[in-house]
Amino acid sequence: AKNQGAGKIHAYSEALAETAHRHLQVEKGLHEALEHGHLRLFVQHQVDMFGKVAGMEALVRWQHPQEGLISPAEFIPIAEESGLIIPLGDWVLEQVCLLLTHPRVKAGGYTLSANVSALQFQEPDFVSKLTALLQRTGVDATRLTLEFTESLLLTDIEAIIRKMVALRALGVQFAIDDFGTGYSSLSYLMRLPIQEIKMDQSFIRDMQPDAASGALVQACLMVAKSQSLRVVAEGVEELAQTHVLQAWEPSILCQGYLFSRPIPAEQWLQDTDKLSDA
Ligand code: C2E
Ligand code: CA
Ligand code: CA
Ligand code: CA
């Protein structure tokens, strides 16, 4: 029995070492990716009940020379732990603003949403850097939405609100991402000057018109309505889901594989080019 225990500990420490190794590898690689321009901006459509594209969410990818596309689910947590999330986040915001200045994006009146890590937003110079970026690119800030998860509330809420108010004055919009999956109290969350909630895909996936999960979705919709917030449903994969959602909330925007997978921003520009030439 003693040996078995030792074996287990051995296997455990090996697994730990492996994780640590992978972690270090990713961190080192991410450094190089930032330096050599191996990050890619993907976009995914958000559509209204008429199927019209209203906006897009920007999603970052890492185009690894050997391993191919690496998912942000793998490298964002490591970027956050290592501090690389700051240059990475800067890069994303810059790309998003450049895309917003593109004639096709302007002509279509599209909005763009960018994911912002709580760590990034807590940087003392976040507001001044974004203000400078908006000025430099000449972007209409009302077309830019910053998405945060509830983890933002783990820090000084007064400081967060002050920063949000400063950016609101420029027109920047705010969304709570993965709404309903955090542990923060609703009244606390609603102190933030937000304009949108993004209903988590787990709610949409489990949604049945009459089941408890359907009730959860309806509860989210009621919260949004009471606060006059826009709602985006994430992870919409089936037509039936859009029918149920739109019956409950006609102004809802839907985002998911049913409408489009995330695609490279350059490809999106090319596709839109073809469409408008046809
Ligand atoms: P998120 O912000 O909740 O983004 C939605 C995720 O759901 C994306 O995964 C998207 O590709 C995926 N998705 C969209 N539609 C569907 C669908 O119909 N079905 C399913 N099963 N999934 C769908 P992705 O692109 O792998 O991103 C994962 C997470 O990484 C994001 O979750 C976000 O938290 C983070 N992330 C992505 N880009 C950035 C970024 O630029 N900065 C930061 N800080 N985080 C980012
Ligand atoms: Ca998001
Ligand atoms: Ca989300
Ligand atoms: Ca998420």
Side-chain angles (χ1 to χ4, degrees):
K2 218 177 182 180
N3 269 340
Q4 236 176 26
K8 262 189 201 156
I9 289 170
H10 182 68
Y12 178 69
S13 61
E14 256 186 4
L16 260 185
E18 217 174 279
T19 311
H21 178 69
R22 173 77 189 153
H23 191 116
L24 267 177
Q25 245 185 351
V26 170
E27 187 179 329
K28 193 163 153 274
L30 207 48
H31 249 297
E32 289 165 6
L34 275 160
E35 239 167 68
H36 299 125
H38 291 163
L39 295 180
R40 295 276 171 272
L41 195 78
F42 277 50
V43 293
Q44 186 180 32
H45 286 158
Q46 298 175 335
V47 306
D48 68 14
M49 72 175 298
F50 305 107
K52 185 177 173 294
V53 177
M56 296 172 270
E57 177 177 1
L59 295 157
V60 70
R61 302 281 181 270
W62 174 5
Q63 182 79 57
H64 194 284
Q66 280 87 43
E67 293 181 34
L69 275 188
I70 304 182
S71 152
E74 178 163 11
F75 64 82
I76 292 288
I78 296 176
E80 287 181 332
E81 276 176 49
S82 62
L84 286 172
I85 193 68
I86 306 302
L88 187 152
D90 285 346
W91 181 85
V92 169
L93 284 175
E94 166 117 27
Q95 297 305 304
V96 165
C97 283
L98 289 178
L99 194 55
L100 276 169
T101 63
H102 194 283
R104 297 283 178 206
V105 177
K106 276 171 117 173
Y110 304 112
T111 58
L112 266 168
S113 298
N115 294 284
V116 175
S117 159
L119 286 172
Q120 186 185 352
F121 195 65
Q122 282 155 31
E123 283 288 286
D125 60 352
F126 183 86
V127 171
S128 59
K129 275 205 288 193
L130 182 56
T131 304
L133 175 63
L134 289 166
Q135 269 163 4
R136 178 156 56 81
T137 51
V139 159
D140 172 3
T142 61
R143 298 218 177 289
L144 175 65
T145 300
L146 304 185
E147 297 187 3
F148 295 103
T149 61
E150 290 173 40
S151 64
L152 187 67
L153 288 181
L154 294 176
T155 54
D156 181 5
I157 189 169
E158 303 303 338
I160 299 291
I161 292 175
R162 269 199 301 279
K163 285 183 169 180
M164 289 175 93
V165 167
L167 290 171
R168 284 291 302 137
L170 301 177
V172 176
Q173 309 214 31
F174 294 102
I176 296 294
D177 206 353
D178 305 342
F179 184 80
T181 62
Y183 296 97
S184 38
S185 82
L186 198 55
S187 59
Y188 203 53
L189 200 55
M190 288 307 145
R191 288 187 55 202
L192 300 177
I194 58 169
Q195 287 66 53
E196 174 184 307
I197 62 176
K198 297 195 75 176
M199 240 188 313
D200 191 62
Q201 51 191 52
S202 61
F203 289 8
I204 309 300
R205 196 184 316 121
D206 301 339
M207 187 180 58
Q208 310 284 331
D210 303 312
S213 55
L216 267 180
V217 169
Q218 282 178 298
C220 289
L221 295 176
M222 270 168 67
V223 169
K225 197 168 211 119
S226 73
Q227 310 289 315
S228 309
L229 302 174
R230 190 166 66 227
V231 184
V232 177
E234 295 190 297
V236 177
E237 297 183 353
E238 290 159 31
L239 194 59
Q241 293 169 333
T242 64
H243 291 154
V244 172
L245 289 167
Q246 288 162 353
W248 284 338
E249 182 45 66
S251 71
I252 199 166
L253 295 180
C254 292
Q255 182 182 344
Y257 296 166
L258 175 67
F259 302 100
S260 76
R261 299 242 164 194
I263 57 167
E266 311 91 66
Q267 187 191 330
W268 183 88
L269 288 170
Q270 279 171 15
D271 292 353
T272 318
D273 224 5
K274 271 182 228 140
L275 276 180
S276 58
D277 289 346

PDB file of all heavy atoms in Angstrom, residues 149 177-178 200 234, ligand 4:
ATOM      1  N   THR A 149     -15.780  39.871 -18.001  1.00  0.00           N
ATOM      2  CA  THR A 149     -16.476  38.867 -17.199  1.00  0.00           C
ATOM      3  C   THR A 149     -16.648  39.423 -15.794  1.00  0.00           C
ATOM      4  O   THR A 149     -16.082  40.462 -15.447  1.00  0.00           O
ATOM      5  CB  THR A 149     -15.702  37.534 -17.140  1.00  0.00           C
ATOM      6  OG1 THR A 149     -14.433  37.788 -16.543  1.00  0.00           O
ATOM      7  CG2 THR A 149     -15.515  36.939 -18.523  1.00  0.00           C
ATOM      8  N   ASP A 177     -19.801  39.698 -20.045  1.00  0.00           N
ATOM      9  CA  ASP A 177     -19.663  38.448 -20.787  1.00  0.00           C
ATOM     10  C   ASP A 177     -20.024  37.273 -19.884  1.00  0.00           C
ATOM     11  O   ASP A 177     -19.911  37.371 -18.665  1.00  0.00           O
ATOM     12  CB  ASP A 177     -18.186  38.323 -21.218  1.00  0.00           C
ATOM     13  CG  ASP A 177     -18.016  37.486 -22.461  1.00  0.00           C
ATOM     14  OD1 ASP A 177     -18.998  36.886 -22.925  1.00  0.00           O
ATOM     15  OD2 ASP A 177     -16.884  37.444 -22.974  1.00  0.00           O
ATOM     16  N   ASP A 178     -20.458  36.177 -20.488  1.00  0.00           N
ATOM     17  CA  ASP A 178     -20.788  34.953 -19.731  1.00  0.00           C
ATOM     18  C   ASP A 178     -21.752  35.269 -18.590  1.00  0.00           C
ATOM     19  O   ASP A 178     -21.634  34.701 -17.496  1.00  0.00           O
ATOM     20  CB  ASP A 178     -19.512  34.297 -19.157  1.00  0.00           C
ATOM     21  CG  ASP A 178     -18.463  34.012 -20.221  1.00  0.00           C
ATOM     22  OD1 ASP A 178     -18.815  33.996 -21.410  1.00  0.00           O
ATOM     23  OD2 ASP A 178     -17.296  33.825 -19.863  1.00  0.00           O
ATOM     24  N   ASP A 200     -24.612  33.494 -21.369  1.00  0.00           N
ATOM     25  CA  ASP A 200     -23.635  32.431 -21.563  1.00  0.00           C
ATOM     26  C   ASP A 200     -24.188  31.285 -22.408  1.00  0.00           C
ATOM     27  O   ASP A 200     -25.369  30.954 -22.340  1.00  0.00           O
ATOM     28  CB  ASP A 200     -23.177  31.892 -20.213  1.00  0.00           C
ATOM     29  CG  ASP A 200     -21.980  30.983 -20.372  1.00  0.00           C
ATOM     30  OD1 ASP A 200     -20.936  31.480 -20.844  1.00  0.00           O
ATOM     31  OD2 ASP A 200     -22.078  29.783 -20.052  1.00  0.00           O
ATOM     32  N   GLU A 234     -25.163  33.871 -26.747  1.00  0.00           N
ATOM     33  CA  GLU A 234     -23.933  33.244 -27.244  1.00  0.00           C
ATOM     34  C   GLU A 234     -24.164  31.761 -27.542  1.00  0.00           C
ATOM     35  O   GLU A 234     -25.011  31.136 -26.913  1.00  0.00           O
ATOM     36  CB  GLU A 234     -22.846  33.294 -26.174  1.00  0.00           C
ATOM     37  CG  GLU A 234     -22.383  34.659 -25.806  1.00  0.00           C
ATOM     38  CD  GLU A 234     -21.141  34.549 -24.929  1.00  0.00           C
ATOM     39  OE1 GLU A 234     -21.215  33.994 -23.828  1.00  0.00           O
ATOM     40  OE2 GLU A 234     -20.091  35.005 -25.396  1.00  0.00           O
TER      41      GLU A 234
HETATM   42 CA    CA B   4     -16.262  32.470 -21.927  1.00  0.00          CA
END
